[in-house]
Amino acid sequence: MAMLEVRDLHVAFPKGKKTEVEALRGVDLTLEKGERLGVVGESGAGKSMLAFAILNLIAEPGRVSRGSVTFHGENLLDLSERDIRGIRGNRISMIFQDPMVTLNPVLTIGTQMMETLRAHRRISDAEARKLCIEGLKQVAIPSAESRMEAYPHELSGGLRQRVVIAIALLTDPELIIADEPTTALDVTIQAEIMALILKLCRENDVALILITHDLGVVAEVTEKLMIMYAGKCVETGPTRQIIDAPTHPYTSGLLKALPQNAGRGTRLYQIPGSMPPITALPTGCAYHPRCERATERCKAEIPQLDGRVACFHPLNTAEEVQ
Amino acid sequence: MTGPIVETKGLEVRFPLPTHFLSREKPMLHALNGVDVAIQPGESFCVVGESGCGKTTLGRAIMGLLEPSAGEIYFKGQRIDGMDETTRKPIRRDMQMVFQNPYASLNPRRNVFETLAEPIRHLMPEKSTSEVRQQVEDVLAATGCDPSWQRRLPHEFSGGQRQRIAIARALVTNPAFIVADEPISALDVSIQAQILNLLTDLQAERGLTYLFITHDLSVVEHFGSRVAVMYLGAMMELAEAETIFETPKHPYTRLLLDAIPKLEGGSFDKPRTPGELPDPVNPPPGCPFAPRCPMAEARCRSERPKLRTLDNGTQAACHFAE
């Protein structure tokens, strides 16, 4: 049995008194121990919603309307709030986008780290302190002992995100969910932080769900990839395969639109239009109004994911190559 | 060949920092430290660097949105720094700006027509009502906006549509020079290509000159004609876009290029040493990049390298560049 299995996950929000709209429209994923999965999509595609739903953190008035999230055989959606706390922040850790928001500005780094650790472990102050300092050293924070007394505002953005990673790793999690962990940082700091996450995941055999909009970052860090569009997974598979030979027209469009894939001074390939809001989804395939391969069937029928791709007219398939 | 359309000589911008009222010290933040640029008509002059390097300050100083502490700024040969608003007015017509976040740069209570008519009414008071209307319609057509948008408010539009409106507003007075400060970084990947193509097309149709400020080197490689790399308020390297990507001369440029996540993957496999921008209030005495530089020697920590022209035409501020 896989470590994490998400089946047919739906998240719905009320619209008016009687109706609901779906932000997540049936997502499946499987993650083994130590595997690294990238989730890529535009804003509003449902990628953060997926992360929150996995941890049963969907805030009112939203709700998980269907589906299951099984972690080591246990459905997280059925657990009591008390029981899920033994998993959330402990066996599954999270790293969010903005470290200035994640860290408490009025507590020292040391206080926050020890608080996290002691919420999940029965250990003495001295032991907790020792583990926290080791944690800071693990993420290459210079003069770790003195940083324990520092407040978040005294650290730079890159160092703050290192502290957040150290906190995420304190409880020896099996899975880290990182939601756009480097979007608020500079490119050079992004490279440092992503290289660090990659190294730590490999060394400790930790699985990773990396949510990002950057295909370059997933290519560097993950082995599996999931492309999301309007609340659904449209393509999934090994990262390398998808980037080298995308089968969904949306994935292919995203890759072709990257400036590094175009000649200098030429026009870029562009996908027309923009992603529809979840309140105004078109009939059939949500991508069909922007798709150059769309036919009548795409307007009428919603394509289901057949292992790799959810499309009636995929590219780069065996038949097409012949 | 006429002269440059925009030129700065020894441009310095310093911001006073808050002090204790008894303190005699007057700490200054050096945002720009003697920057010389000469932007030629019709080119896309790109400025890249990390946050805090002074790239936005350079754009704002040229636009007259903040007053330089020292140095000179010329527009079409005429000195414009320190000019009073009345004399500057006809020049404002000729130079306009596009900002990063189209959610913040458009007045939410003003419909599109009012947003676009305002610069004409203010900067070209001689235009009649019907001329204003005509000019607004023309610019909407040129930027791919639908004429029916005129009576609608910004919240009715997506991010990409808003950025089109912001570009239309910059173009409505028919300027020759546009400062675009991170115009695509707030947009989704599939929309970025649309906006970059629009900027390329408009440049071809109208012979525009761009000062394009960005942190994203892959955009520069596609879009830029010349690239200036800035660090801590100073120019580190200035070269043709092609040259800088093929043969970067400054170690900082190499660090930036190395930090781009690659679709081929594999470049985040080795851990990176943390590097941080030095304190801009007390910059290091020698080369500002020396504390992070793998090549730094004693000389770099005492003597600030000057920008000098190398054999291949690149200008670099490094003692060891050749």
Side-chain angles (χ1 to χ4, degrees), chain A residues 3 8 23-24 32 66 70 72 92 95 113 116 130 138 144 153 178 182 197 199 233 241 258-259 290 292 320:
Chain A
M3 180 184 73
D8 196 29
L24 221 51
E32 302 289 347
R66 210 196 306 171
T70 321
H72 289 297
I92 305 180
I95 301 173
M113 293 185 78
T116 311
K130 205 177 120 233
Q138 197 183 9
H153 75 266
T182 55
I197 291 179
K199 170 174 165 269
C233 167
Q241 266 183 33
L258 292 178
R290 303 175 77 184
E292 50 192 28
E320 181 154 303

Side-chain angles (χ1 to χ4, degrees), chain B residues 12-59:
Chain B
E12 283 186 30
V13 174
R14 289 187 291 267
F15 296 112
L17 292 170
T19 45
H20 190 269
F21 72 102
L22 287 176
S23 166
R24 275 160 186 273
E25 277 173 50
K26 289 209 174 76
M28 284 287 194
L29 188 144
H30 299 259
L32 284 183
N33 252 333
V35 172
D36 303 305
V37 293
I39 303 171
Q40 303 302 331
E43 76 171 334
S44 304
F45 188 89
C46 292
V47 182
V48 293
E50 293 170 274
S51 34
C53 74
K55 54 192 195 298
T56 294
T57 306
L58 176 64

Side-chain angles (χ1 to χ4, degrees), chain A:
Chain A
M1 184 177 42
M3 180 184 73
L4 179 77
E5 273 195 42
V6 175
R7 288 286 158 262
D8 196 29
L9 195 62
H10 290 249
V11 171
F13 284 82
K15 183 193 178 198
K17 282 222 167 76
K18 292 213 174 110
T19 52
E20 280 191 321
V21 289
E22 284 196 317
L24 221 51
R25 305 185 294 139
V27 174
D28 297 78
L29 74 87
T30 310
L31 202 65
E32 302 289 347
K33 194 166 166 44
E35 244 181 351
R36 295 184 302 279
L37 167 77
V39 179
V40 170
E42 298 178 61
S43 34
K47 47 194 201 303
S48 295
M49 202 60 72
L50 174 65
F52 283 104
I54 289 174
L55 293 160
N56 202 0
L57 277 175
I58 300 290
E60 292 279 337
R63 65 187 184 99
V64 175
S65 51
R66 210 196 306 171
S68 64
V69 177
T70 321
F71 182 65
H72 289 297
E74 211 171 11
N75 188 353
L76 298 186
L77 304 176
D78 292 340
L79 292 183
S80 69
E81 190 54 27
R82 195 167 156 251
D83 288 339
I84 199 165
R85 279 195 196 150
I87 292 176
R88 195 198 285 152
N90 187 21
R91 293 166 70 190
I92 305 180
S93 288
M94 296 146 287
I95 301 173
F96 294 106
Q97 177 170 350
D98 191 342
M100 208 50 205
V101 181
T102 327
L103 294 172
N104 188 331
V106 298
L107 297 180
T108 61
I109 302 299
T111 312
Q112 300 189 47
M113 293 185 78
M114 287 169 58
E115 203 171 58
T116 311
L117 198 53
R118 301 197 66 187
H120 298 290
R121 300 269 186 284
R122 288 195 176 173
I123 48 171
S124 69
D125 263 9
E127 266 177 280
R129 206 185 140 74
K130 205 177 120 233
L131 285 173
C132 291
I133 292 172
E134 271 170 28
L136 290 178
K137 284 183 178 156
Q138 197 183 9
V139 295
I141 289 184
S143 45
E145 282 89 352
S146 60
R147 297 288 184 185
M148 290 282 284
E149 316 309 326
Y151 287 91
H153 75 266
E154 296 175 277
L155 306 179
S156 67
L159 277 184
R160 269 184 229 136
Q161 199 61 306
R162 281 173 192 267
V163 170
V164 173
I165 296 172
I167 294 178
L169 286 167
L170 269 182
T171 54
D172 290 321
E174 292 158 73
L175 168 65
I176 294 180
I177 300 181
D179 188 359
E180 304 263 11
T182 55
T183 310
L185 306 173
D186 273 312
V187 269
T188 56
I189 314 292
Q190 163 172 289
E192 285 164 21
I193 296 289
M194 286 322 310
L196 178 69
I197 291 179
L198 180 62
K199 170 174 165 269
L200 293 171
C201 283
R202 278 185 183 150
E203 280 173 6
N204 304 321
D205 204 18
V206 179
L208 175 72
I209 297 181
L210 176 67
I211 294 167
T212 174
H213 60 273
D214 191 328
L215 283 161
V217 170
V218 291
E220 294 278 3
V221 176
T222 67
E223 327 153 282
K224 273 168 66 169
L225 182 57
M226 192 167 138
I227 309 283
M228 292 195 64
Y229 191 80
K232 267 179 119 56
C233 167
V234 294
E235 178 160 13
T236 185
T239 306
R240 200 65 275 148
Q241 266 183 33
I242 293 185
I243 285 175
D244 291 342
T247 55
H248 198 284
Y250 176 61
T251 319
S252 150
L254 282 182
L255 284 161
K256 275 196 279 178
L258 292 178
Q260 55 262 49
N261 284 351
R264 278 187 49 76
T266 57
R267 276 177 66 88
L268 294 171
Y269 174 84
Q270 67 183 56
I271 304 176
S274 55
M275 194 173 72
I278 53 164
T279 48
L281 289 181
T283 57
C285 171
Y287 185 63
H288 88 252
R290 303 175 77 184
C291 184
E292 50 192 28
R293 298 166 77 89
T295 58
E296 285 306 312
R297 188 179 176 202
C298 306
K299 291 178 195 165
E301 221 180 303
I302 299 180
Q304 298 303 324
L305 197 68
D306 70 343
R308 166 84 188 259
V309 65
C311 179
F312 295 126
H313 311 289
L315 301 101
N316 289 322
T317 50
E319 304 102 79
E320 181 154 303
V321 171
Q322 284 168 13

